[in-house]
Amino acid sequence: MEKPVTVCMGTLCLMAITAILASAPTARAEDSALRIAKQGSVEAGGRVIDCATNDGGDPKSTRWPRGRVVVDNVYATYQYPAEQRFPHPILFNSGGGHTARVYDTTPDGREGWLTLFLRQGFAVYGVDRPNTGRSGTDICKINAVKLGVAPVTELPAINRYAAESSWVTFRWGPQFGVPYPNTQFPIAAADNYYPQTISTYRDPDETPKSVAALLLS
């Protein structure tokens, strides 16, 4: 992976993105087709562990026996434009509770940031962090607790945004069901957004895992 120019996490880099889009050359209005030179996906970073509990339902499983599995890697899809105007790609790394899917298409069906930046001449990467989305999930400790061979304290801290918490956390409105008058979120399409949230590991070492994997990408 080439060196990225920006890593986007949640709303932290919204102002920077807006500035980049404003200063970048606009795509030709008549050219609605995406012009892509190459696209694909890649895994990066991670580590190999010996997982004794690959099957949480059967400690003597023959289909999923003890063995080596890769965990803590990142996964990313990438697209390079046919006319690349900028030397470095942009990595879109979503905030907690989401995958890179949030950059594909808006809840109301409009074009997302991945292809908007692609049209401007940037190569783009949509990143799923460790234990998120297509990067896969480390299930060894969860299964070990399920099978009774590890204490409950070994379970990772996991949470997920509810519809109610999404309204306040992402600043759609002061409380659930009450939008701010100037919100830019497509409230009418909120039901299309809710399935995009995912369960997320929240232990303190999750961020260092992402940093380590991205440094090796």
Side-chain angles (χ1 to χ4, degrees), residues 75-100:
Y75 169 93
T77 59
Y78 61 83
Q79 290 181 308
Y80 280 72
E83 298 179 11
Q84 187 169 344
R85 302 188 183 101
F86 303 91
H88 304 299
I90 295 180
L91 270 63
F92 288 94
N93 179 20
S94 63
H98 302 81
T99 69

Side-chain angles (χ1 to χ4, degrees), residues 118-180:
L118 185 72
R119 291 185 189 279
Q120 299 294 341
F122 290 94
V124 294
Y125 285 75
V127 179
D128 289 355
R129 302 176 316 283
N131 295 314
T132 298
R134 289 169 292 182
S135 289
T137 304
D138 183 354
I139 63 171
C140 294
K141 289 183 178 179
I142 296 175
N143 283 349
V145 173
K146 169 71 175 179
L147 295 171
V149 296
V152 173
T153 53
E154 289 291 303
L155 287 174
I158 303 174
N159 62 17
R160 181 174 180 179
Y161 286 107
E164 290 79 1
S165 57
S166 295
W167 277 74
V168 178
T169 302
F170 305 126
R171 296 178 291 281
W172 307 349
Q175 65 185 59
F176 177 65
V178 180
Y180 289 121

Side-chain angles (χ1 to χ4, degrees), residues 28-99:
R28 293 185 296 272
E30 70 276 10
D31 188 7
S32 60
L34 287 172
R35 297 167 57 81
I36 301 171
K38 63 177 180 177
Q39 66 179 18
S41 59
V42 62
E43 290 81 17
R47 59 192 178 94
V48 177
I49 63 172
D50 181 18
C51 183
T53 54
N54 281 319
D55 186 350
D58 180 5
K60 299 180 180 180
S61 174
T62 57
R63 184 174 182 181
W64 297 287
R66 180 189 193 111
R68 293 173 296 167
V69 295
V70 178
V71 297
D72 298 344
N73 60 283
V74 296
Y75 169 93
T77 59
Y78 61 83
Q79 290 181 308
Y80 280 72
E83 298 179 11
Q84 187 169 344
R85 302 188 183 101
F86 303 91
H88 304 299
I90 295 180
L91 270 63
F92 288 94
N93 179 20
S94 63
H98 302 81
T99 69

Side-chain angles (χ1 to χ4, degrees), residues 1 7 44-45 74 91 93 127 129 209-217:
M1 188 186 300
V7 175
V74 296
L91 270 63
N93 179 20
V127 179
R129 302 176 316 283
K209 289 176 184 177
S210 294
V211 172
L214 288 169
L215 285 174
L216 294 173
S217 62

Side-chain angles (χ1 to χ4, degrees), residues 190-204:
D191 286 346
N192 295 333
Y193 160 78
Y194 299 138
Q196 296 179 26
T197 65
I198 62 168
S199 301
T200 302
Y201 282 26
R202 296 292 186 174
D203 289 314

